[in-house]
Amino acid sequence: MKSLTFALLLSLIYASDLSAHCPAHHLADAQTQAAAQKKSVLLVFVGGDWSKSSQIFREEVLKNAELKKKIDEHFIVHVLEYPQKQSERNETLNSLSEKYRATRFPTLLMTDFLGRPFGYTGYRAGGSEALLKSLSEARDLLAKRDAAFEEALKVQGVARAKAFERGLSLLPQSILREHYSSELVAIKKADPQGETKLVSDLEKAEALQKERDAYRSLFKEKKYDAVVQKSRMEAAKAQGEEAQRLSMYAVQALVSQKKYDDAMNAIEAMARLAPDSNFGKSAERYKKVVTNVKERDQKKHEGKANAAKPGKPRLPIVSKPVAVVNDVKTLEDDLKQLRTELAESAKKARKATIAEREAALKITALENELKPLKDSQAKLVDEAKKARSEQLRLTKKEKTLQEVIENYHAMQKRKREVSDLEKNAAELQKKAEELRNKSKEIESGQ
């Protein structure tokens, strides 16, 4: 099998004499072009005039004829330009940046003609040589990936699984499930006993992320009792370090409920499950953290209690400066703590909002990908039905023609046989006539 070369996804807005505009909806054309020319696709995510780094990239790369020529030797370049405001970006731009995890501008991504990424890089001012080096390294990685995939198609069983695993191990694990699902399925099918580790490691990582997301959702909703119950139930089913990891969710929930003594007891119980593990060795550090939180909480409540008590009439500042300063210091500490908590809350809110948006974009992208697959399946079903009907028609026609030909040859054979019999009969009649004539001659002589 020939070594695969690959195409990418977006189109470039070069200077007018250096390139042609290729809008996002021409992605398939860019991929087809790359496949036909045996090149890869260099997908470039850039910002508009609002992005200074994107402007530098345009000047140093997109408008550099010599550099462009070197890139064009191996890549079909495809650029997407992103408006500054999220609301101004269309669905295609959002889905592609989500699909390929392009969060900064400019981002350069290399994919094959199937859209599977095999290299990422950014760009800094004056980094033309570094860019060419990154592209070259990505192409070397692609060659190794393709060699492993090619070998996998030549062997069977565990050997096939190991070959696919060698190719996939060159790539970031985070992109495998979305972009290399067929190879993962092939590994699992070729290695049902699990001698290779890539798929199982990936499944463990995904399960851990799913676990974290589930607990994060409960914490977000402040369902601390549900966290404790879920944590203890799941930890009871696990062993060793896994049970300890699950137990720590309960510790966090108890601290959030300000049940500090219960949290300390939970840490001690967690440590006993596997004293020599990382969790077990960190138990004292966890307890110290809980103690610090407890003390800070107590001081906070003491400050509020003191503020609630009726105070003495306020004296001139100069009469008792130390007391006044001490009171302000307490308030400043409270304000500082409040600001810290507020910043953390805002950070969590931003993350949750981004996660929600990312999930929505991913669902939309998957739905968009699924629709053409369904359309293609319906078309293939119809084509298969027509092909089977045509096959049946041609089979009947072949049988009919075969029968006609066989009948023809049988008739010709019978004609030859009749002709031969007629010739033999004529010769026999001639001989009989000759014998009769000879007999008459003999009788006349007598």
Side-chain angles (χ1 to χ4, degrees), residues 14-198:
Y14 281 151
S16 60
D17 58 337
L18 298 181
S19 68
H21 174 64
C22 182
H25 63 271
H26 288 165
L27 170 60
D29 294 338
Q31 293 174 333
T32 301
Q33 184 182 0
Q37 297 181 21
K38 296 184 178 181
K39 295 181 180 180
S40 299
V41 176
L42 178 61
L43 180 57
V44 182
F45 296 81
V46 294
D49 294 339
W50 58 272
S51 172
K52 184 177 180 180
S53 57
S54 294
Q55 292 179 9
I56 294 173
F57 177 80
R58 290 179 184 280
E59 292 297 324
E60 294 186 352
V61 179
L62 303 187
K63 295 183 179 180
N64 186 328
E66 182 178 354
L67 180 58
K68 176 184 178 298
K69 183 178 180 181
K70 292 180 180 179
I71 295 174
D72 287 347
E73 290 178 3
H74 304 289
F75 294 92
I76 299 297
V77 183
H78 200 65
V79 175
L80 278 185
E81 181 174 328
Y82 282 72
Q84 184 174 14
K85 294 182 179 179
Q86 181 73 26
S87 59
E88 296 177 357
R89 300 174 185 177
N90 61 37
E91 185 178 340
T92 300
L93 291 174
N94 287 330
S95 63
L96 288 173
S97 62
E98 166 68 16
K99 180 177 182 180
Y100 291 107
R101 305 170 189 265
T103 58
R104 297 182 179 181
F105 304 112
T107 291
L108 283 72
L109 170 70
M110 292 134 272
T111 74
D112 58 24
F113 62 86
L114 297 175
R116 299 179 298 181
F118 60 86
Y120 289 83
T121 186
Y123 186 79
R124 293 184 178 179
S128 298
E129 291 301 320
L131 172 60
L132 291 176
K133 182 180 179 181
S134 295
L135 297 179
S136 177
E137 290 174 348
R139 290 178 57 245
D140 291 340
L141 183 149
L142 174 64
K144 293 178 181 178
R145 185 203 77 171
D146 292 346
F149 286 2
E150 183 176 350
E151 180 184 350
L153 298 178
K154 296 178 180 178
V155 294
Q156 300 291 331
V158 177
R160 168 172 289 188
K162 289 182 178 180
F164 274 126
E165 185 178 53
R166 283 197 300 275
L168 294 178
S169 64
L170 300 169
L171 305 165
Q173 192 177 78
S174 59
I175 70 172
L176 298 185
R177 182 66 69 187
E178 183 173 3
H179 298 286
Y180 291 87
S181 58
S182 60
E183 286 76 15
L184 294 174
V185 171
I187 290 175
K188 206 163 185 178
K189 182 178 179 180
D191 181 22
Q193 301 302 320
E195 293 186 30
T196 53
K197 300 299 180 183
L198 179 63

